[in-house]
Amino acid sequence: DQQVKQNSPSLSVQEGRISILNCDYTNSMFDYFLWYKKYPAEGPTFLISISSIKDKNEDGRFTVFLNKSAKHLSLHIVPSQPGDSAVYFCAASALWTDGGQNFVFGPGTRLSVLP
Amino acid sequence: ETGVTQTPRHLVMGMTNKKSLKCEQHLGHNAMYWYKQSAKKPLELMFVYNFKEQTENNSVPSRFSPECPNSSHLFLHLHTLQPEDSALYLCASSQARGTEAFFGQGTRLTVV
């Protein structure tokens, strides 16, 4: 049973346009959400995050939106560049009572930005 | 340079071998994680260490044995693995009650 879902395995976007990657989660205990970017044969690289007390966080070309009632978040990349082509993972975190935390990842969406 | 270093980057081992994966973080974090990424599968959490104490074992077979001697180092000891254990093994670290996790480059393991 996947707690974090990314229903689009792949997405193709023209260079300069907006890329929108979507993510849904089922566990209402998650209170921190992250997006990672991954190139082949490398570890995931942190992109941007958002706390459950916010509904939007922006960092340069990247904006993450959170809709808690719908248990949905999205990553917007504007403008998209060919170097953005990679697999994007959505992740969710819940803090444990002992002070630790866990990160649960979605299956990823492969973004291709076409020149 | 991510601050999380994994060695070796590639490993080929037979089913009767014993090997170890090493992870080292220079970020002052106090939580460390092992994840497994198999082909066409999501990242799967294997183990979590919080202040050197194991706080999560995600139903991992005993042929995988983690060790965390201090908050900067994490090992994954491997023995009598199966070909289906071939995968990318990723180490990550974070603050125990912090924000994002930082990942190493991973070890590409092939079991023959």
Side-chain angles (χ1 to χ4, degrees):
Chain A
D1 180 33
Q2 277 191 355
Q3 297 186 68
V4 178
K5 303 175 185 180
Q6 294 175 257
N7 292 323
S8 297
S10 63
L11 174 68
S12 292
V13 172
Q14 208 68 35
E15 181 179 4
R17 306 294 291 268
I18 184 171
S19 295
I20 300 177
L21 298 107
N22 293 303
C23 176
D24 297 286
Y25 62 96
T26 58
N27 189 341
S28 57
M29 296 300 292
F30 290 140
D31 56 7
Y32 192 72
F33 304 90
L34 311 94
W35 284 96
Y36 284 83
K37 175 180 178 180
K38 186 178 184 299
Y39 294 115
E42 292 185 10
T45 302
F46 170 73
L47 270 179
I48 192 169
S49 61
I50 188 166
S51 163
S52 59
I53 63 173
K54 293 186 174 182
D55 55 19
K56 178 182 174 181
N57 189 26
E58 192 172 352
D59 184 2
R61 296 186 297 115
F62 302 93
T63 303
V64 56
F65 295 92
L66 176 62
N67 182 333
K68 279 182 62 179
S69 60
K71 294 191 176 67
H72 176 84
L73 64 154
S74 60
L75 174 68
H76 293 211
I77 307 174
V78 180
S80 301
Q81 300 173 353
D84 296 328
S85 297
V87 178
Y88 288 78
F89 291 96
C90 171
S93 168
L95 294 178
W96 298 328
T97 54
D98 66 356
Q101 65 178 342
N102 184 11
F103 296 94
V104 180
F105 284 81
T109 296
R110 180 176 300 278
L111 173 66
S112 300
V113 180
L114 309 173
Chain B
E1 175 58 51
T2 66
V4 180
T5 304
Q6 287 186 246
T7 54
R9 290 293 309 276
H10 301 273
L11 178 63
V12 179
M13 62 184 288
M15 289 189 283
T16 59
N17 291 159
K18 288 185 180 181
K19 297 286 184 183
S20 296
L21 309 185
K22 179 182 176 182
C23 177
E24 186 173 359
Q25 59 98 0
H26 311 279
L27 301 169
H29 291 162
N30 38 35
M32 297 188 77
Y33 311 78
W34 279 116
Y35 281 87
K36 174 184 177 182
Q37 187 178 31
S38 305
K40 300 183 180 178
K41 283 189 175 182
L43 281 161
E44 300 173 72
L45 178 67
M46 299 176 72
F47 301 103
V48 181
Y49 276 82
N50 198 16
F51 292 100
K52 301 187 296 179
E53 299 295 324
Q54 186 180 130
T55 54
E56 179 86 4
N57 176 338
N58 204 21
S59 302
V60 180
S62 59
R63 57 186 184 270
F64 295 91
S65 175
E67 179 190 1
C68 187
N70 55 62
S71 57
S72 298
H73 293 86
L74 185 65
F75 295 90
L76 187 62
H77 303 299
L78 316 171
H79 64 97
T80 60
L81 294 192
Q82 305 297 313
E84 58 264 30
D85 295 322
S86 299
L88 181 67
Y89 289 84
L90 290 157
C91 172
S93 71
S94 75
Q95 295 294 350
R97 285 190 71 89
T99 56
E100 62 272 18
F102 290 89
F103 282 83
Q105 299 262 34
T107 295
R108 172 66 62 185
L109 173 68
T110 303
V111 181
V112 296

